[in-house]
Amino acid sequence: MWNLYRSMISSRWICSSPCRDSGLHRLGRLGVILGTTLLLAGCADRADKGFKALVYRPTPQRAVLYALQEESPDARRRYLRGLINRKELKQDWAVKALDVIARTDADAQVRCIAIQGLARSQRPEAVVTALAILNPKTTTRPVRIGEDDVRLDCLNLLLGYLQANHLPQDQREPTRQVMLKAAADEPNLQARMAGLRGLRYFPDPESLKQLVGTLRETQFGLKYEAEMSLRCLTGYFGDYEAAAWEKWLARQPNPFAGGNAYTQMQRSSDTLWRRSGEAVTELWTSWQGASKPTARPTPAVAVKQAEGQRMIMDAAQQ
């Protein structure tokens, strides 16, 4: 049906079809309704999946089974992440499953999560797994070649055991050999720095030789880790100079004599509260002066003072 009406701005008559216009409007409204319905259906579907994942979360035993059998690497990673924060991580069946996954899984990131889980378990078997991945010649079990991220996580696992003094005594020599090799020729920079950090727990001439040699390289990250490890081993400050370290080591019958005192001053972790307290203490010390009884030098200042006195005595003997 056509409508005929007079134009408001001219003397012409205008003919329009309300049925066609209303049809277009109805079609537009139908599209909006359909789109809204599909959107709500998609949101409901995602919410339903999230609800089912929360309510029907698999048990730790079943999660490990899925991590061993799933074809999708994303699914295997998801099941392993769900296991890492569970107390069952320390149980024998979990450690054995993580060992198999860390050594043989085809996906590098899945293996990394398994290694991180082994590190959190604090079980001695984790050290054996990490050493097998870093040096497959030490085991007869099947082991894949470790990618960069896998090797880094294995070295960090060994570092954690060294820092906590949980490394089994019979694994110290294999760990030392692994750290020496990583510090010398590890292609990944982060993994090589981890190897240099690991050498600070092995006071022997080979560690000193490797660390001093690293100071001649141009990468400052490597030089920094080598200097820090040398300070932990000896208690001496060489200012990142290989020649200064060689000169000092040549005069020392026992270069590791001062290492224990310096290592005890190293903190495993730092906090904002501790840093703020040290800053206030150093400011108070600077204002009071070293000769006043209220001045209490911080450990860092004490080390610097001792090093200054040592340098003065060395200069006097020359």
Side-chain angles (χ1 to χ4, degrees), residues 243-268:
W245 276 103
E246 290 174 343
K247 184 178 180 180
W248 181 82
L249 290 171
R251 301 195 306 265
Q252 303 300 319
N254 183 16
F256 306 109
N260 292 333
Y262 183 83
T263 303
Q264 291 175 1
M265 296 174 59
Q266 303 303 305
R267 296 186 293 268
S268 59

Side-chain angles (χ1 to χ4, degrees), residues 89-274:
L89 188 69
K90 298 178 180 291
Q91 297 183 8
D92 291 341
W93 58 266
V95 173
K96 291 179 180 179
L98 290 174
D99 166 68
V100 173
I101 296 172
R103 289 185 292 104
T104 63
D105 196 276
D107 186 81
Q109 294 305 313
V110 174
R111 299 173 67 193
C112 286
I113 297 175
I115 294 167
Q116 294 166 16
L118 287 171
R120 292 195 179 192
S121 72
Q122 291 296 303
R123 293 282 296 267
E125 294 90 338
V127 176
V128 179
T129 303
L131 290 174
I133 295 173
L134 291 170
N135 187 10
K137 296 181 180 179
T138 61
T139 182
T140 58
R141 298 179 298 173
V143 179
R144 287 182 177 270
I145 297 177
E147 295 84 349
D148 289 350
D149 293 341
V150 175
R151 294 196 305 272
L152 177 60
D153 281 338
C154 287
L155 290 169
N156 286 332
L157 183 150
L158 296 175
L159 275 173
Y161 276 70
L162 286 168
Q163 292 171 356
N165 198 23
H166 289 161
L167 189 75
Q169 192 62 32
D170 60 339
Q171 301 296 335
R172 284 193 62 83
E173 180 58 24
T175 301
R176 186 182 74 91
Q177 294 294 336
V178 161
M179 292 297 179
L180 280 170
K181 186 177 186 306
D185 56 14
E186 174 62 47
N188 180 264
L189 178 62
Q190 295 296 327
R192 191 176 177 192
M193 292 169 66
L196 292 170
R197 286 194 295 271
L199 292 182
R200 68 187 60 175
Y201 299 97
F202 300 98
D204 58 68
E206 283 187 284
S207 297
L208 292 178
K209 181 179 179 181
Q210 179 60 50
L211 293 170
V212 173
T214 305
L215 291 175
R216 291 192 170 88
E217 302 202 19
T218 57
Q219 176 61 248
F220 180 74
L222 298 175
K223 297 177 66 173
Y224 175 83
E225 296 296 346
E227 173 75 17
M228 294 302 106
S229 293
L230 284 168
R231 292 181 184 183
C232 288
L233 288 171
T234 65
Y236 179 72
F237 286 68
D239 294 330
Y240 308 93
E241 294 292 338
W245 276 103
E246 290 174 343
K247 184 178 180 180
W248 181 82
L249 290 171
R251 301 195 306 265
Q252 303 300 319
N254 183 16
F256 306 109
N260 292 333
Y262 183 83
T263 303
Q264 291 175 1
M265 296 174 59
Q266 303 303 305
R267 296 186 293 268
S268 59
S269 61
D270 206 353
T271 62
L272 177 62
W273 176 261
R274 183 179 291 140

